[in-house]
Amino acid sequence: MKYKLHFTIPTFTEDLDTFPIPENENYDYWVPLISYFIKQSNIIEIHCWNDEKDVIKETTLLFKDSFKIVNGRDVTVIKGSKTDNISNHLLYKNLKTNGKLKWFSIFFIKNNTPLFHSEHWGTEFFAPSLSEENIAYIKSITPTGTDFHQYN
């Protein structure tokens, strides 16, 4: 049986800021979690706020010629084929100089079927079709206090 899973990492915000930061102030869960889903995908979609110009420029350069970009009212959407270059960047070059995650949202897709969503700078997640074994793995790599909602 397959389940939908929504989960949220425990977070806090700094004074006068809305950027959620993992409660333990690190993203130790990021690499194992993203590795798990990026392997299964062939398309990656990234959403950035329009004012994050450096991150948008850096991200579009990673996709090279295999992407499309859509500028929305407040958000820039970059969508393209998964490459080793973008995969490596999402896994290992994912933090800004201030130690916060670079991307507001990331979506992993396989043949137009959504596999996984990372939202709110890597603190809120959704996967629409997971087995009990998949869910057990995710629970084993996320921080204590992660809030899980599993449903069919």
Side-chain angles (χ1 to χ4, degrees), residues 5-139:
L5 183 68
H6 175 265
F7 57 106
T8 306
I9 304 299
T11 63
F12 71 96
T13 57
E14 294 175 339
D15 290 341
L16 304 174
D17 195 356
T18 59
F19 194 103
I21 300 168
E23 207 168 59
N24 61 4
E25 297 189 56
N26 71 55
Y27 295 88
D28 290 347
Y29 57 89
W30 183 259
V31 171
L33 182 62
I34 297 307
S35 294
Y36 189 75
F37 289 99
I38 205 167
K39 290 175 193 171
Q40 303 170 51
S41 69
N42 60 2
I43 298 169
I44 298 172
E45 181 176 312
I46 298 173
H47 296 197
C48 301
W49 293 108
N50 288 343
D51 63 354
E52 297 176 302
K53 297 194 183 310
D54 291 341
V55 173
I56 293 167
K57 181 178 178 182
E58 173 186 63
T59 304
T60 56
L61 290 173
L62 291 168
F63 277 106
K64 306 223 186 248
D65 299 328
S66 65
F67 73 95
K68 81 176 186 180
I69 189 166
V70 177
N71 290 310
R73 192 168 128 208
D74 296 321
V75 176
T76 297
V77 176
I78 307 157
K79 184 176 182 178
S81 300
K82 177 182 77 173
T83 64
D84 290 342
N85 197 24
I86 189 71
S87 296
N88 184 59
H89 200 79
L90 290 174
L91 289 168
Y92 304 110
K93 297 176 184 166
N94 49 44
L95 299 179
K96 297 177 186 177
T97 55
N98 64 5
K100 297 178 181 177
L101 199 72
K102 291 180 181 178
W103 308 281
F104 181 71
S105 300
I106 300 173
F107 301 84
F108 296 124
I109 303 159
K110 182 172 185 172
N111 302 329
N112 295 321
T113 300
L115 299 175
F116 183 73
H117 308 195
S118 167
E119 302 278 349
H120 298 106
W121 294 285
T123 61
E124 186 175 343
F125 306 92
F126 177 73
S129 182
L130 295 176
S131 68
E132 289 281 355
E133 294 80 21
N134 300 141
I135 293 168
Y137 174 72
I138 290 167
K139 287 181 175 182

